[in-house]
Amino acid sequence: MAILITTILFGLVGLALAVGGGQLLALGGSIYYLITGIAFIVTAVLLYLRRSTALTLYALIVLGSLAWAIWEVGFDWWQLGPRGGVIILLGLWLLTPWIRKPLGFQSPTGARYPVGAAPLAASVALAILIAVISMFTDPYDVEGELPKEAVAAAPAMGNPVPPGEWHQYGRTNYGQRYSPLDQINVENVDELEEVWRYQTGDVKLPEDVTETTYQVTPLKVGNSLFICTPHNWAIAIDATTGEEKWKYDPNAGLNPDRQHQTCRGVTYYADPQAQADAPCAERVYLPTSDARLIALDAASGEVCTSFADQGVLRLETGMPYNPAGYYYSTSPPVIAAGKIIIGGAVNDNYSTQSQSGVIRAFDVNSGELVWNWDSGNPEQTEPLPPGQTYTANSPNSWSIFSVDEELGLVYIPLGNQVPDQLGMGRSESVEKYSSSIVALDINTGADRWVFQTVHHDLWDMDVPAQPVLLDLTQDDGTVVPALIGPTKQGDIYVLNRETGEPIIDVTEEPAPGGAIPEDFTAPTQPTSALTFKPQPLQEKDMWGISMFDQMVCRIRFHELNYEGRYTPPSINGTLVYPGNFGTFNWGSVAIDPERQVMFGMPTYLAFTVRLVPREEIPPKGADEKASEQGLNRNEGAPYGVYMGPFLGPLQIPCQAPPWGYVAGADLRTGEIAYKHRNGTVYDMTPLPLPFKLGVPGIGGPMITKGGVAFLGAAVDNYLRAYNLTTGEEIWRARLPAGGQATPMTYAVEDGRQFVVMVAGGHGSVGTKPGDYVIAYALPRD
């Protein structure tokens, strides 16, 4: 019976491999699966005939598969495993008495003796030995160290902020995510313990959209933390005890057309003209998902009615179209020179009749409009007269701005025009400003310079991250005002923030063509010399739990259009890599301004995009909710688009891990010092497996003067600390929910340093939702 069952099993395996392998070969792929499938079928026949040569043939399958796997991927266990796992398990089964005895011989006395299996045993043992050796190697790990010495003794960090406080999203308006506190350092960080935990009460609801996420970075002013929640509650928390001081609910409601239900932070302002104890002398400005900006008294949470219309500024004013749920601000505005400057998110790929991506500056006290800069009409920065509207669908900025008040500039990371994947009909202004970093004059709104990171963007490669400002010391001792711009496509642009000229070289590289007939592609695309761009995917990079789903991913890889980065969208379907999450996203990077090094979390996850002719798009369902994944309708455009991660039959990525790293780079030389796998599959699988594959993440890092970098972000629920010099993980704490936010740090009145992390999950990456704010500190002496 064992022989019969094994025969059937080997025949089915062989049939699956032969059919799939034939399809793969016809697409120009590897011949291995077809050959192996045929060999399995022959083995099945020999087993059925009780021939001992079945074991010899299978030994050849094992050795051939091992040689092929090493030739393709070397000694990478995570790629060898799927290639050989099934083959080794079946080889071990063939070595059991239940198979060897029926294939053996019977003596004249009637005793049955198992067939010898030395060749098969040796081949299986060799394969297992190679697997064990490969477990201790990592061909993707880059070891090295960042320079330890301080280059700048008293570096510029932006607007003045007390060392123990955190006043802006990136601590200061430079966005460095760097704290000068050093009580917590590489020597004692492993002693950190939780000191308080606060729950907001704002939890994900059944009727919420998929992209309901908790991404806030708290602010710390005095002894208060200021946060917002996914449904736009503003909350003040005692920084020492974690007790709630006040809570404000703007009643922003729910809307199934909102693509995102989130809040990355609030904005703090102290009026220098007001008496210290006067109402609204200190304010917290709250952006909401129904396109309002609300001024609150930082002391009480009461609305500051002197601002705008009884404390509320309505951001839909001046928009050419105003469908509810299509426009809102998910990121905190910046304040500079008495102005509060804000952009907004426009739903991707919903409709050509969408709101403008205009950037506006309002008087921070009164809410009166001072200037507007519309990338679709960039020359008209004076406030629009009554009756005029901004340009529909102009590139928008949904991320965080940075400010250099001495230069009088605010730096805007710009996105793309809706629809993201269709470039026909874009104006000259859109072609110039789309997917760029723009420096605007704080006082007038006029653009001083623009640096485009993608030409004629067809891939949703908007600039997602807050630009980071740094005074960079050159080899000759001169200091250059620099801007560090992380991008989705993996390039880190290091620019002179006064002129926009590159400090680290940028070259134009040839890009693939082949757009749909109505569109075109840019012949070249910029690439920075400091880049985390991935190597182009190849068939051998396809992955799966087993050889079967890996084969399916190989077939799918060849079916999609792909010629590397910037392969244009197509009706057939295109592989986009890096994908929609990007190599870097809104979490940006953290920079040590003294050592002039950066720490970041490059992520690598391929997406697929398929254009759908208008007539093939089904009617919208009554209960359909907004999402960036799946069908994007692009109402008013000739094509919609299906998009999402490039996943295999088991809904795991088709590309091999690692999918996420931590990395450090020297900003003075542009050299990447280290790059290590980051995160485990602990929360990605039904069983809590601690395998360190290097997983995707979305969120940002923070650095302290103590030489420690803190990062949550990965899709396993941990907050981690790393040695900034080496990238080595030196501490971690289990979180009760996904940590897709950016940690921050501060000191309380007695000098004790705290690290705070928000854990609330992220809808599109599927981490556990929650409503937690957690503080950690060293034990008291």
Side-chain angles (χ1 to χ4, degrees):
M1 179 61 71
I3 285 286
L4 179 59
I5 293 174
T6 304
T7 297
I8 295 171
L9 175 61
F10 271 60
L12 292 174
V13 169
L15 183 62
L17 293 176
V19 171
Q23 184 180 357
L24 178 60
L25 184 62
L27 292 168
S30 173
I31 197 174
Y32 164 80
Y33 293 89
L34 177 59
I35 292 175
T36 305
I38 294 171
F40 261 91
I41 292 172
V42 174
T43 303
V45 172
L46 293 174
L47 287 170
Y48 181 75
L49 296 175
R50 303 295 201 273
R51 301 288 178 83
S52 62
T53 49
L55 302 190
T56 304
L57 176 58
Y58 199 76
L60 294 176
I61 293 175
V62 173
L63 291 174
S65 297
L66 179 62
W68 168 77
I70 293 173
W71 172 73
E72 277 208 323
V73 298
F75 294 95
D76 179 2
W77 190 88
W78 292 110
Q79 295 208 58
L80 291 177
R83 286 166 168 80
V86 169
I87 289 175
I88 299 306
L89 288 175
L90 291 177
L92 291 171
W93 171 248
L94 291 181
L95 290 171
T96 63
W98 303 289
I99 303 299
R100 290 176 56 211
K101 275 192 174 183
L103 297 182
F105 64 94
Q106 190 171 1
S107 72
T109 62
R112 182 166 281 285
Y113 294 90
V115 67
L120 178 57
S123 64
V124 170
L126 177 62
I128 292 174
L129 176 63
I130 294 296
V132 171
I133 292 172
S134 69
M135 289 180 183
F136 296 94
T137 64
D138 186 352
Y140 296 97
D141 188 73
V142 177
E143 290 193 9
E145 291 191 358
L146 291 171
K148 299 177 183 179
E149 62 277 3
V151 178
M157 297 184 188
N159 54 302
V161 173
E165 303 202 348
W166 193 285
H167 285 195
Q168 275 87 27
Y169 179 84
R171 189 173 176 272
T172 74
N173 54 19
Y174 273 21
Q176 294 171 346
R177 294 162 184 78
Y178 173 82
S179 170
L181 299 179
D182 60 2
Q183 183 182 102
I184 298 170
N185 55 57
V186 293
E187 302 297 330
N188 60 23
V189 67
D190 61 344
E191 301 175 27
L192 281 180
E193 60 184 20
E194 183 177 325
V195 291
W196 57 255
R197 176 180 296 202
Y198 169 78
Q199 290 186 254
T200 68
D202 184 3
V203 296
K204 187 173 183 179
L205 304 172
E207 57 270 36
D208 271 325
V209 295
T210 300
E211 289 275 345
T212 299
T213 64
Y214 204 4
Q215 302 175 357
V216 68
T217 299
L219 305 184
K220 194 267 188 180
V221 183
N223 197 43
S224 295
L225 295 181
F226 299 106
I227 64 170
C228 57
T229 70
H231 295 99
N232 307 126
W233 302 355
I235 302 174
I237 304 169
D238 186 289
T240 303
T241 66
E243 296 178 356
E244 182 181 303
K245 290 186 172 183
W246 56 256
K247 180 187 293 183
Y248 172 81
D249 181 358
N251 297 308
L254 301 178
N255 188 318
D257 283 336
R258 290 176 192 158
Q259 234 164 22
H260 302 270
Q261 186 71 53
T262 193
C263 184
R264 295 188 184 93
V266 296
T267 304
Y268 168 79
Y269 172 69
D271 184 353
Q273 306 301 321
Q275 294 183 352
D277 57 350
C280 294
E282 296 179 69
R283 299 183 183 186
V284 169
Y285 290 87
L286 172 70
T288 69
S289 52
D290 58 352
R292 290 179 290 162
L293 181 65
I294 303 173
L296 303 173
D297 187 333
S300 66
E302 298 293 321
V303 175
C304 297
T305 56
S306 60
F307 178 74
D309 182 9
Q310 295 299 303
V312 178
L313 183 64
R314 299 194 175 275
L315 300 175
E316 70 271 19
T317 303
M319 295 296 179
Y321 304 104
N322 190 33
Y326 280 40
Y327 179 84
Y328 36 86
S329 184
T330 57
S331 297
V334 296
I335 294 174
K339 304 169 188 66
I340 187 163
I341 306 170
I342 190 168
V346 175
N347 278 353
D348 280 336
N349 302 336
Y350 254 44
S351 172
T352 58
Q353 295 187 348
S354 293
Q355 292 93 332
S356 173
V358 62
I359 310 299
R360 287 172 285 188
F362 300 90
D363 183 281
V364 71
N365 291 307
S366 69
E368 181 181 356
L369 181 63
V370 178
W371 54 257
N372 38 238
W373 183 82
D374 178 358
S375 57
N377 182 22
E379 301 303 320
Q380 187 174 351
T381 58
E382 302 83 6
L384 284 186
Q388 281 195 27
T389 59
Y390 302 113
T391 308
N393 288 343
S394 52
N396 65 300
S397 185
W398 52 266
S399 191
I400 301 95
F401 309 158
S402 300
V403 175
D404 184 332
E405 289 203 59
E406 290 187 7
L407 291 178
L409 296 177
V410 56
Y411 301 93
I412 313 294
L414 274 178
N416 204 354
Q417 183 186 54
V418 177
D420 288 307
Q421 287 76 25
L422 301 174
M424 50 277 207
R426 292 177 182 171
S427 69
E428 183 178 342
S429 291
V430 169
E431 293 287 10
K432 176 180 178 180
Y433 293 106
S434 176
S435 303
S436 66
I437 301 171
V438 180
L440 301 181
D441 188 294
I442 292 173
N443 294 312
T444 67
D447 64 269
R448 296 269 194 90
W449 57 258
V450 55
F451 181 90
Q452 189 168 63
T453 66
V454 181
H455 307 319
H456 194 66
D457 185 359
L458 302 175
W459 305 272
D460 189 24
M461 291 296 172
D462 42 8
V463 181
Q466 179 184 23
V468 185
L469 310 186
L470 167 74
D471 286 352
L472 200 58
T473 303
Q474 304 293 283
D475 289 339
D476 61 3
T478 60
V479 176
V480 179
L483 176 148
I484 317 300
T487 63
K488 283 186 176 182
Q489 59 271 31
D491 293 308
I492 304 282
Y493 292 101
V494 181
L495 311 175
N496 184 313
R497 68 175 182 268
E498 186 172 11
T499 65
E501 294 297 317
I503 297 172
I504 290 179
D505 289 344
V506 175
T507 57
E508 291 285 337
E509 297 183 353
I516 56 175
E518 303 96 319
D519 209 343
F520 66 93
T521 58
T524 64
Q525 293 289 354
T527 297
S528 174
L530 174 52
T531 184
F532 290 88
K533 69 178 181 180
Q535 291 295 316
L537 290 173
Q538 302 178 58
E539 182 195 321
K540 68 180 183 180
D541 298 316
M542 297 302 101
W543 197 67
I545 296 298
S546 71
M547 62 193 306
F548 304 108
D549 53 320
Q550 184 185 66
M551 180 179 66
V552 172
C553 284
R554 287 174 179 254
I555 292 170
R556 184 65 179 136
F557 173 79
H558 283 288
E559 289 176 334
L560 292 166
N561 292 11
Y562 181 65
E563 299 178 54
R565 242 184 5 162
Y566 306 116
T567 303
S570 62
I571 294 175
N572 175 67
T574 294
L575 188 61
V576 179
Y577 184 59
N580 195 47
F581 280 169
T583 307
F584 297 97
N585 208 295
W586 52 263
S588 194
V589 296
I591 286 175
D592 184 329
E594 295 188 31
R595 295 165 61 179
Q596 303 195 352
V597 297
M598 63 151 272
F599 180 90
M601 182 193 62
T603 294
Y604 301 98
L605 196 63
F607 269 57
T608 62
V609 167
R610 179 169 64 87
L611 300 179
V612 187
R614 173 60 49 200
E615 61 272 14
E616 297 179 15
I617 298 176
K620 185 177 180 180
D623 59 347
E624 192 172 325
K625 294 179 182 178
S627 178
E628 288 186 306
Q629 299 181 27
L631 176 62
N632 286 223
R633 295 181 170 276
N634 289 341
E635 299 292 350
Y639 297 90
V641 58
Y642 275 103
M643 59 190 301
F646 183 33
L647 303 178
L650 301 180
Q651 297 302 295
I652 62 173
C654 263
Q655 70 191 87
W659 306 303
Y661 295 85
V662 291
D666 185 337
L667 294 171
R668 300 179 66 220
T669 65
E671 294 179 358
I672 297 171
Y674 58 77
K675 196 175 176 185
H676 306 309
R677 292 178 192 251
N678 184 52
T680 70
V681 296
Y682 193 91
D683 294 296
M684 294 178 68
T685 57
L687 297 175
L689 303 173
F691 299 146
K692 191 175 182 179
L693 269 73
V695 297
I698 191 163
M702 177 266 292
I703 291 173
T704 72
K705 187 178 174 66
V708 182
F710 289 91
L711 176 70
V715 293
D716 59 352
N717 302 333
Y718 288 97
L719 171 64
R720 292 179 167 90
Y722 308 81
N723 184 320
L724 175 61
T725 301
T726 65
E728 175 193 2
E729 181 183 321
I730 50 180
W731 172 82
R732 68 178 176 178
R734 182 72 175 157
L735 298 172
Q740 282 68 55
T742 301
M744 52 81 71
T745 187
Y746 60 88
V748 294
E749 290 181 355
D750 64 2
R752 194 181 190 194
Q753 183 181 353
F754 285 51
V755 172
V756 167
M757 183 71 194
V758 168
H762 194 286
S764 64
V765 299
T767 50
K768 182 180 178 181
D771 63 339
Y772 301 90
V773 184
I774 305 174
Y776 304 87
L778 297 172
R780 292 188 182 278
D781 294 335

